[in-house]
């Protein structure tokens, strides 16, 4: 069962105008520091000036090292200015109803409950009965870096996205009913046209009812923010900032790959595309496509030498009873990168991961420009696949889930 509590000290924008200026995408939605720096030039009030303070510099060649003492000191100073400024106010003992409406998903209300969740309930080897189940392993260095930022700002700014199965829909209906009783406290429209609405709930009876509803839910699955929750535990904090969304309201996009090398010999083949396909043929059936292929699970799009090819994984390449092995990202890693290219680590610099918010044409353009040798396009994983992996106490393949729309940071901050 899930144990939650209100946010004791919630720092929030004073109105929608302030929320529009302050809130932003999370750091991992940008393609590097220069893109973050450019964003800060256009939006100097953005919360990125706190979370990515090393990029808050007057010139791009003056960026600090992320996580350095100088960058952390800047995060501290910028957070103090934000807290003391006229654009924010503090609300005590509040739950947060959070709704995201995306034009790409007409008719879907992605509505969830923001709160503090217990670090003691995170499932680990030491707490195998934990009811908050991670979908990926934790890299200690990355968790420590997030912990340094939390300590420097004395707050939780990054929000963990947790998914839960709302079997009868009653919790979702309760959240919608509460949201429909009054206008949102503040509303933001992001760069992609998604509308983010926030309602702060401090009424004791409402808080008690929602807390009881969450206590009836068996477990939750960490959709995004594994390292942010781990950072809280790393610091010995009892709780972390999260939003719980029903699984049936969440959206997923592909997580694709750009590859900077192609170690294949063309001996006996007309060209390198034929040579690569011949090498792949033991594990994949393939067919040439006129344009971007439409993909289902266990199908991968290959862009090489100006043309698309659809690869279909042969049944021997995965164990259908293993929830991880059936996922396309795992098949690609094992049967293409590991087996054919000797790229055994997903963090290998020869691999670049691109979220599905960028179209297939973006991938092809990077290859055509000579920046990469080839691209791999995949269908999005499903929420059921994620649930299955978590229920088997396994981890999702690295860089396999891209939730869209994403939680916007800076709408609600939990102060220590």
């Amino acid at each position: 069962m899930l144990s939650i509590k209100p946010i004791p000290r919630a720092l929030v924008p004073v109105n929608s105008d302030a929320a529009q200026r302050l809130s932003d995408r999370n750091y991992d939605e940008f393609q590097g520091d220069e893109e973050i720096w450019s964003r800060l030039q256009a939006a100097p009030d953005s919360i990125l000036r706190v979370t990515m303070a090393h990029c808050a510099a007057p010139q791009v060649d003056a960026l600090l090292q992320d996580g350095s003492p100088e960058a952390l000191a800047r995060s501290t100073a910028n957070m103090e200015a934000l807290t003391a400024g006229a654009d924010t106010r503090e609300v005590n003992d509040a739950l947060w109803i959070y709704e995201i409406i995306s034009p790409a998903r007409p008719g879907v209300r992605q509505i969830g409950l923001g709160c503090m969740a217990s670090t003691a309930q995170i499932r680990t080897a030491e707490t195998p009965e934990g009811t908050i189940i991670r979908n990926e392993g934790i890299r200690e260095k990355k968790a420590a870096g997030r912990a340094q930022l939390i300590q420097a700002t004395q707050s939780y700014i990054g929000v963990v996205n947790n998914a839960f199965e709302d079997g009868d829909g009653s919790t979702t209906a309760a959240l919608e009913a509460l949201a429909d009783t009054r206008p949102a406290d503040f509303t933001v429209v992001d760069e992609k046209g998604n509308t983010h609405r926030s309602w702060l709930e401090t009424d004791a009876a409402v808080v008690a009812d929602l807390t009881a509803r969450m206590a009836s839910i068996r477990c939750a699955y960490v959709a995004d923010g594994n390292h942010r929750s781990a950072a809280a535990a790393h610091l010995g904090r009892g709780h972390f900032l999260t939003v719980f969304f029903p699984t049936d309201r969440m959206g997923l996009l592909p997580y694709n790959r750009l590859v900077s090398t192609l170690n294949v010999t063309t001996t006996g083949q007309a060209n390198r595309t034929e040579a690569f396909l011949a090498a792949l043929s033991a594990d994949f059936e393939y067919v040439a496509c006129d344009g971007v292929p439409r993909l289902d699970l266990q199908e991968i799009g290959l862009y090489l030498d100006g043309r698309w090819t659809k690869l279909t994984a042969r049944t021997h390449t995965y164990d259908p009873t293993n929830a991880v092995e059936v996922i396309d990202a795992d098949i690609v890693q094992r049967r293409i990168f590991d087996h054919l290219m000797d790229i055994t680590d997903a963090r290998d610099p020869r691999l670049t991961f691109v979220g599905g918010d960028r179209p297939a044409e973006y991938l092809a353009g990077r290859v055509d420009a000579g920046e990469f040798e080839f691209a791999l396009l995949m269908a999005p994983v499903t929420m059921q696949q994620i649930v299955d992996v978590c229920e088997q106490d396994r981890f999702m393949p690295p860089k396999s889930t891209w939730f869209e729309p994403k939680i916007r940071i800076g709408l609600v901050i939990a102060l220590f």
Side-chain angles (χ1 to χ4, degrees):
M1 306 305 170
L2 298 176
S3 173
I4 70 163
K5 72 172 190 175
I7 304 164
R9 299 178 61 208
L11 187 72
V12 301
V14 294
N15 54 33
S16 294
D17 288 341
Q20 191 73 50
R21 292 195 304 275
L22 297 177
S23 66
D24 217 314
R25 290 169 284 168
N26 201 37
Y27 72 96
D28 55 3
E29 296 178 61
F30 292 88
Q31 294 287 314
D33 286 353
E34 288 192 16
E35 190 172 303
I36 295 172
W37 177 85
S38 295
R39 171 62 180 162
L40 282 166
Q41 301 311 296
D45 293 330
S46 165
I47 191 64
L48 291 169
R49 75 186 193 270
V50 178
T51 60
M52 300 297 284
H54 67 289
C55 296
Q59 291 88 31
V60 71
D61 58 1
L63 302 186
L64 299 175
Q65 181 180 351
D66 188 16
S68 67
E70 296 82 4
L72 291 171
R74 185 179 291 172
S75 290
T76 300
N78 289 348
M79 185 63 189
E80 289 173 349
L82 176 64
T83 305
D87 281 336
T88 60
R89 64 187 178 98
E90 188 174 320
V91 179
N92 300 123
D93 298 319
L95 294 178
W96 167 31
I97 296 176
Y98 181 27
E99 178 187 73
I100 313 174
I101 301 295
S102 171
R105 305 170 70 214
V108 177
R109 295 180 75 177
Q110 182 172 326
I111 193 165
L113 181 64
C115 57
M116 304 301 289
S118 171
T119 54
Q121 289 198 311
I122 299 172
R123 184 175 295 182
T124 66
E126 293 73 32
T127 55
E129 301 304 316
T131 53
I132 297 177
I133 308 174
R134 290 175 174 155
N135 69 19
E136 67 177 40
I138 299 301
R139 299 200 301 274
E140 290 301 324
K141 183 177 180 180
K142 184 175 179 181
R146 294 298 96 196
Q148 285 182 315
L149 179 66
I150 291 169
Q151 193 72 4
T153 61
Q154 289 292 286
S155 67
Y156 297 117
I157 300 172
V159 184
V160 178
N161 182 342
N162 275 309
F164 70 97
E165 293 185 299
D166 186 18
D168 62 2
S170 60
T171 300
T172 307
L175 293 174
E176 290 179 334
L178 286 166
D180 291 342
T181 60
R182 59 183 173 87
D185 288 295
F186 41 90
T187 300
V188 167
V189 179
D190 69 21
E191 303 80 7
K192 300 172 185 176
N194 301 314
T195 300
H196 303 253
R197 296 190 182 95
S198 297
W199 294 262
L200 302 171
E201 289 290 349
T202 57
D203 180 88
V206 173
V207 169
D209 176 68
L210 293 176
T211 301
R213 289 180 182 276
M214 296 306 293
S216 70
I217 294 168
R218 183 178 66 87
C219 64
Y221 312 99
V222 180
D224 197 5
N226 289 275
H227 288 86
R228 293 189 281 279
S229 60
H234 178 90
L235 291 169
R237 308 295 300 191
H239 294 81
F240 60 93
L241 180 63
T242 185
V243 175
F244 290 96
F245 287 114
T247 54
D248 62 354
R249 298 296 179 91
M250 299 180 72
L252 284 149
L253 292 178
Y255 216 149
N256 301 311
R257 276 75 171 138
L258 287 165
V259 189
S260 63
T261 187
L262 181 66
N263 53 342
V264 61
T265 177
T266 58
T267 303
Q269 304 291 336
N271 56 48
R272 64 181 195 160
T273 298
E274 288 189 11
F276 194 41
L277 291 174
L280 290 168
S281 62
D283 290 330
F284 299 90
E285 299 176 4
Y286 61 88
V287 60
C289 300
D290 294 326
V292 181
R294 298 185 65 177
L295 302 174
D296 204 342
L297 300 180
Q298 285 88 54
E299 295 177 346
I300 294 95
L302 165 69
Y303 187 78
L304 174 63
D305 291 335
R307 79 187 206 203
W308 285 102
T309 302
K310 182 164 76 172
L311 311 175
T312 301
R314 299 185 187 275
T315 55
H316 73 265
T317 60
Y318 56 89
D319 175 0
T321 67
N322 183 315
V324 175
E325 286 198 6
V326 299
I327 294 173
D328 297 342
D330 190 69
I331 295 171
V332 164
Q333 182 63 49
R334 287 185 293 103
R335 305 312 304 172
I336 299 180
F337 297 148
D338 293 0
H339 180 60
L340 290 182
M341 306 184 70
D342 196 29
I343 301 177
T344 58
D345 189 337
R347 294 168 293 183
D348 192 294
R350 290 171 289 182
L351 305 180
T352 295
F353 301 93
V354 182
D357 57 336
R358 298 180 187 250
E361 290 75 16
Y362 170 84
L363 301 174
R366 298 289 298 274
V367 174
D368 290 341
E371 299 175 71
F372 296 91
E373 291 289 340
F374 67 95
L376 293 173
L377 184 70
M378 285 173 270
V381 299
T382 67
M383 275 306 308
Q384 188 58 55
Q385 285 183 309
I386 295 171
V387 169
D388 290 345
V389 168
C390 291
E391 291 291 350
Q392 289 186 6
D393 281 330
R394 303 178 189 272
F395 290 144
M396 293 291 292
K399 303 296 184 182
S400 56
T401 56
W402 185 274
F403 286 90
E404 188 74 24
K406 288 186 174 289
I407 294 175
R408 200 155 179 85
I409 61 169
L411 295 175
V412 173
I413 297 169
L415 301 176
F416 288 179

